[in-house]
Amino acid sequence: YLPRIDAIVTRRLAAAAQKEQFAGIAEFRDLAVESICSCVLGIEDQNELRSLVDDYSELIAGFLAVPIAFPGSRFAKARSAKD
């Protein structure tokens, strides 16, 4: 597992060094999800990983939202992300 995680961290740090701002919580969350998906699920495709990270972000935001499913609301997006 360590070589995979090392490669992911190295790639993400290189990408973060190119940015003017570093959004710590979002970057570390994405790093954790990508590491888990790569090591546990064996997912390496960047498009699929990005989709999973986006769905996970929507789902987490839904946990913090008011539970009313208006179209376009955080809660509605979270419900659709779980599918």
Side-chain angles (χ1 to χ4, degrees), residues 13-80:
L13 286 175
Q18 302 299 318
K19 297 179 182 177
E20 288 187 25
Q21 292 184 337
F22 180 77
I25 293 173
E27 292 290 337
F28 288 125
R29 178 199 61 226
D30 293 354
L31 172 65
V33 171
E34 184 174 346
S35 297
I36 291 167
C37 288
S38 177
C39 294
V40 177
L41 302 175
I43 299 171
E44 298 289 336
D45 180 48
Q46 291 301 310
N47 292 329
E48 190 172 358
L49 282 170
R50 184 80 255 155
S51 177
L52 284 171
V53 168
D54 291 345
D55 287 345
Y56 178 78
S57 298
E58 289 294 332
L59 189 62
I60 293 301
F63 283 130
L64 304 173
V66 178
I68 301 172
F70 288 117
S73 70
R74 281 185 161 186
F75 185 73
K77 289 179 182 179
R79 287 184 66 179
S80 66

